[in-house]
Amino acid sequence: MNITQEKTGNLNAVVKIKIAPADYTAKVDKAIKDQAKKAQLPGFRKGMVPAAHIKKMYGKSILVEEVNNLLNDTLSNYIAEQKLEILGQPLPKMDDEREFKWDNTDDFEFDYELGLAPAFDVNVSSKDKFTEYVVKADQETLESRIKNIRRSYGKMTNPEVSAEDDVLYTELTQVDTDGTAVEGGITSTATIRLDQVKDKKILKSLIGLKKDDEVTIDIQKALEDAAVISKALNISEEEAAELKANFKLHVKNVNRLEESDLNQEFFDKLFGEGVVTDEAGFRAKITEEVESMFKQDAERKLSNDIYEALLVKHNFELPDEFLRRWLKATNEKLTDEELAEGYDDFAKNLKWTLIENKIIKDNSIEIKYEDVVQAAKAKLDAQFRMYSPSPLPEDQLAQYAVQFLQDKENANRVFEEVKALKTFEQIKSVVTLEQKDIDYDKFVALVEKKA
């Protein structure tokens, strides 16, 4: 066997593999004998089929399979031994002029194109400056969060007259402009949340209603959101988006979720016995929780700022033409238009992966299984807290995390998240971070302006 490599550009190479019968004959003979032992053919007892018969019937396909296996192993070992950092996967070069007899006497030669990763150094120092925003909770956000938590632990009542934020249990009937029911029109029994009514005039008409009162509304103006309209009328979102109709709303009941009292029982349910003892402590805890969520937003912005800055600073080349061919070869459904539109984003993400891997390697950063489990626990804890501020017991959370990571996709995703987190932690330990307090509204405007 003979393997050679030829550089065809700064980031491109061709590996030529020449295989002689001596390289594959023993493997093919063994495969034929193994097949003979397992074969079940008419006229022969199982395991008693002559190897010559198997060779006559299946020899060519066995030869092709064994040569392919030999090629794959040889190429993989060569790349590892030569310590070649490749991008994508090797692409076989097609040569229509080469013809093989596939009769166990051929000398084979196969060429593979390689896309090589560029060599570069990551240049990050204290001269690189970034703003680390500290987002402060505004009063409106705090009050909204407090209201939602109190309602989560509140009780349902049925007041006589509807007020803002109530829920109307209704019967909806599609009507003409004169208020008569449309023949074959839509009818539905639905709950209408007044906090989802967008039109102020319509909202005003729905406040002060009693059981059996009726109001005609433009459903599209009232709710706007196709998903909400779809659910209320029991139709598809596509139909809801196109629907232009008035509906008679007949009130069957008024429901109101009363907010929980700010008492010790409520505080203990939320935070554990005796942790919070008064309203001031409760508000301090909620402020901490809200600003913790804002901190995640601020960290995402800082990471994105670092990401963009380092990509600009490390503007190395990629074997673009090879990568385009590789993407087409490995994604049969990818059109030329899709490739043209998506390649720049693909290349940008690939460059960041190379920068990330270089930082991990240069700083001997380890990603341990315990790190991945801890990250999974934090992810699940955040999800559970969306429905209840009370934390899950540690043993239960750990059990959920293990189950979550048994899914390969989940495990890979969390691994990549931990890898990214450790990379950014390393970068932030080197660059200069300048803290700046900012109100939430201004922070949101800043992020949207950047986007």
Side-chain angles (χ1 to χ4, degrees):
M1 188 182 303
N2 184 29
I3 307 174
T4 59
Q5 180 191 163
E6 177 189 344
K7 290 290 291 287
T8 56
N10 286 338
L11 300 173
N12 297 87
V14 173
V15 171
K16 296 178 182 292
I17 303 177
K18 294 181 180 179
I19 301 176
D23 299 315
Y24 61 78
T25 300
K27 293 179 181 292
V28 173
D29 289 345
K30 182 179 184 302
I32 288 172
K33 289 175 183 176
D34 289 344
Q35 182 79 354
K37 291 175 184 176
K38 294 183 286 187
Q40 297 186 54
L41 297 177
F44 298 96
R45 284 183 293 163
K46 184 179 178 181
M48 301 300 290
V49 181
H53 192 71
I54 294 295
K55 184 174 182 178
K56 184 178 179 181
M57 293 182 67
Y58 306 112
K60 184 174 179 179
S61 62
I62 290 173
L63 173 62
V64 171
E65 183 178 355
E66 290 303 317
V67 168
N68 278 331
N69 290 339
L70 181 59
L71 278 171
N72 289 335
D73 291 344
T74 301
L75 186 58
S76 296
N77 292 337
Y78 178 79
I79 289 170
E81 288 166 4
Q82 298 295 313
K83 298 180 179 178
L84 298 177
E85 292 189 37
I86 66 170
L87 301 177
Q89 290 144 352
L91 286 179
K93 285 189 73 175
M94 307 308 294
D95 189 343
D96 295 333
E97 294 183 7
R98 286 182 187 164
E99 290 187 11
F100 302 124
K101 297 190 293 291
W102 295 104
D103 61 359
N104 291 284
T105 62
D106 266 342
D107 286 323
F108 298 105
E109 182 176 326
F110 298 92
D111 297 347
Y112 289 89
E113 290 183 90
L114 304 183
L116 305 177
F120 65 96
D121 292 320
V122 174
N123 179 20
V124 180
S125 71
S126 58
K127 292 180 181 178
D128 297 299
K129 296 181 180 180
F130 297 93
T131 302
E132 185 176 30
Y133 290 99
V134 180
V135 186
K136 297 298 181 182
D138 60 282
Q139 200 60 33
E140 184 180 347
T141 304
L142 281 176
E143 293 305 327
S144 174
R145 179 62 179 154
I146 288 170
K147 183 177 182 178
N148 287 337
I149 292 173
R150 291 181 67 181
R151 292 182 76 179
S152 296
Y153 286 84
K155 60 182 179 179
M156 188 69 73
T157 61
N158 301 109
E160 288 190 11
V161 180
S162 65
E164 199 168 344
D165 288 339
D166 282 348
V167 177
L168 301 181
Y169 181 54
T170 69
E171 189 175 275
L172 297 170
T173 305
Q174 188 176 354
V175 295
D176 284 325
T177 52
D178 62 0
T180 58
V182 174
E183 188 174 349
I186 300 170
T187 60
S188 175
T189 300
T191 53
I192 302 294
R193 285 174 45 189
L194 297 192
D195 64 346
Q196 290 182 329
V197 176
K198 306 299 182 183
D199 187 278
K200 291 183 179 179
K201 189 174 180 181
I202 294 175
L203 176 60
K204 189 176 180 181
S205 72
L206 298 177
I207 293 172
L209 297 180
K210 300 186 295 294
K211 185 178 179 180
D212 292 326
D213 282 351
E214 293 182 347
V215 177
T216 299
I217 63 170
D218 180 332
I219 198 77
Q220 200 66 248
K221 281 179 68 178
L223 300 177
E224 292 184 8
D225 190 325
V228 177
I229 296 170
S230 163
K231 187 176 179 181
L233 299 179
N234 197 27
I235 59 176
S236 71
E237 285 194 32
E238 290 76 17
E239 291 175 297
E242 298 297 323
L243 182 66
K244 291 178 174 60
N246 288 335
F247 281 80
K248 181 175 71 178
L249 182 152
H250 178 91
V251 180
K252 300 181 78 174
N253 210 348
V254 178
N255 299 324
R256 179 174 299 164
L257 190 57
E258 299 281 0
E259 294 180 9
S260 173
D261 293 329
L262 294 176
N263 55 28
Q264 194 59 49
E265 182 184 0
F266 172 63
F267 299 148
D268 289 347
K269 280 182 184 177
L270 280 177
F271 308 111
E273 191 172 345
V275 175
V276 170
T277 57
D278 56 21
E279 185 176 345
F282 165 70
R283 286 182 170 273
K285 277 282 188 184
I286 300 305
T287 302
E288 182 183 328
E289 177 205 303
V290 170
E291 291 189 346
S292 174
M293 289 189 287
F294 290 168
K295 185 177 180 181
Q296 293 174 22
D297 295 335
E299 285 175 350
R300 272 193 291 272
K301 172 164 176 50
L302 175 57
S303 295
N304 190 62
D305 290 346
I306 291 172
Y307 168 84
E308 296 290 348
L310 263 60
L311 281 173
V312 170
K313 195 171 186 180
H314 301 84
N315 190 25
F316 48 76
E317 292 184 352
L318 294 174
D320 294 310
E321 289 309 312
F322 169 84
L323 289 170
R324 287 187 176 95
R325 290 199 302 276
W326 173 70
L327 287 168
K328 283 284 286 182
T330 54
N331 296 273
E332 294 179 1
K333 294 181 180 179
L334 184 68
T335 65
D336 291 336
E337 293 76 15
E338 289 170 336
L339 178 61
E341 288 174 10
Y343 182 77
D344 285 347
D345 283 340
F346 165 80
K348 187 176 181 180
N349 289 331
L350 178 56
K351 284 182 178 181
W352 177 255
T353 299
L354 292 172
I355 292 170
E356 188 178 53
N357 289 343
K358 181 72 171 167
I359 290 171
I360 293 280
K361 183 179 178 181
D362 288 351
N363 294 280
S364 303
I365 296 171
E366 287 186 78
I367 301 169
K368 300 176 182 175
Y369 179 70
E370 308 91 83
D371 300 327
V372 177
V373 172
Q374 203 59 38
K377 284 164 64 177
K379 181 187 283 287
L380 293 170
D381 184 51
Q383 290 176 0
F384 287 127
R385 284 178 185 268
M386 289 173 64
Y387 304 99
S388 170
S390 303
L392 279 178
E394 177 63 25
D395 57 340
Q396 194 174 353
L397 187 60
Q399 184 180 348
Y400 284 142
V402 171
Q403 290 172 353
F404 179 77
L405 292 172
Q406 285 174 351
D407 184 293
K408 191 175 180 180
E409 284 188 18
N410 290 338
N412 288 339
R413 187 166 57 250
V414 176
F415 177 87
E416 289 301 323
E417 288 170 3
V418 173
K419 180 182 172 186
L421 181 64
K422 284 181 174 283
T423 302
F424 283 114
E425 283 176 351
Q426 172 61 32
I427 295 169
K428 286 188 282 187
S429 72
V430 176
V431 301
T432 299
L433 299 177
E434 298 173 343
Q435 284 199 346
K436 182 178 179 181
D437 289 355
I438 188 171
D439 291 335
Y440 181 67
D441 290 344
K442 290 181 180 177
F443 176 76
V444 170
L446 185 68
V447 171
E448 290 175 349
K449 185 179 178 181
K450 272 274 187 181

